[in-house]
Amino acid sequence: MFESILGVSVPCQVGMITDNIDSAKKKWAEFLGVEEPEARWCGEYAICKTEYRGQPAPEANSKLAFFDLPNIQLELIEPNTAKSTWRDHLEKCGSGIHHYGYQVPDIFKAMEDMKAAGYTLTQFGYYGDGNGAYAYFDCKADLGCYVELLCSFH
């Protein structure tokens, strides 16, 4: 029987990069026929401890808006101008799909599994409220996008 690298095969999230979150969330809300979500900044570096390519990235931040749909979450991301995986994507590819996110039970084990499979960690951080973590891996050569690991600590 086949088992995925992460132990899960169904994504819980699709992440889209945009250069204008207010416009994007309005258009998505109209398209989906749902309420427009609030956009908010990721969080403070003191809690998030964002690392970009293995180095502290205290200036990296983005505005986020989440559509919680029946089977998947749509995340809209508008990066600030600091270097980040989000900014890289916007500069190289423009607006569009950035990642598929997977909820994993142990983010640190999943990160090791991704590294062992040959994927490069580009960004790591904690949720703005500190109760979880995320990690982006560059899977563009093989999968055409980034993969985000998501892990809640409750």
Side-chain angles (χ1 to χ4, degrees), residues 126-154:
Y126 293 93
Y127 298 167
D129 61 6
N131 76 356
Y134 70 91
Y136 288 108
F137 282 84
D138 186 345
C139 302
K140 289 183 73 92
D142 290 345
L143 306 177
C145 65
Y146 286 86
V147 167
E148 182 181 24
L149 309 179
L150 301 160
C151 183
S152 296
F153 298 152
H154 13 26

Side-chain angles (χ1 to χ4, degrees), residues 4-53:
S4 77
I5 291 170
L6 300 175
V8 295
S9 57
V10 178
C12 64
Q13 182 185 80
V14 175
M16 307 277 296
I17 297 291
T18 180
D19 62 356
N20 185 328
I21 200 164
D22 293 324
S23 174
K25 69 186 180 104
K26 179 179 167 74
K27 289 176 184 175
W28 273 104
E30 289 171 358
F31 178 78
L32 297 170
V34 298
E35 292 286 320
E36 221 179 290
E38 175 187 350
R40 66 188 190 293
W41 288 99
C42 284
E44 300 297 320
Y45 179 74
I47 296 170
C48 297
K49 297 180 177 34
T50 306
E51 295 178 5
Y52 170 69
R53 302 207 176 268

Side-chain angles (χ1 to χ4, degrees), residues 35-145:
E35 292 286 320
E36 221 179 290
E38 175 187 350
R40 66 188 190 293
W41 288 99
C42 284
E44 300 297 320
Y45 179 74
I47 296 170
C48 297
K49 297 180 177 34
T50 306
E51 295 178 5
Y52 170 69
R53 302 207 176 268
Q55 299 298 314
E59 301 300 318
N61 210 329
S62 64
K63 286 184 190 174
L64 307 175
F66 297 93
F67 289 90
D68 291 317
L69 305 171
N71 297 317
I72 199 160
Q73 182 181 70
L74 173 62
E75 178 185 26
L76 301 179
I77 305 163
E78 180 186 331
N80 68 1
T81 58
K83 291 304 285 177
S84 67
T85 189
W86 310 302
R87 174 52 54 186
D88 287 351
H89 182 88
L90 187 59
E91 289 176 359
K92 293 177 187 170
C93 305
S95 296
I97 292 176
H98 176 258
H99 69 268
Y100 289 95
Y102 293 84
Q103 188 71 35
V104 296
D106 181 343
I107 195 164
F108 300 105
K109 180 189 179 314
M111 287 168 62
E112 291 305 316
D113 293 343
M114 290 291 284
K115 290 176 188 174
Y119 297 113
T120 302
L121 175 67
T122 60
Q123 190 166 309
F124 174 84
Y126 293 93
Y127 298 167
D129 61 6
N131 76 356
Y134 70 91
Y136 288 108
F137 282 84
D138 186 345
C139 302
K140 289 183 73 92
D142 290 345
L143 306 177
C145 65

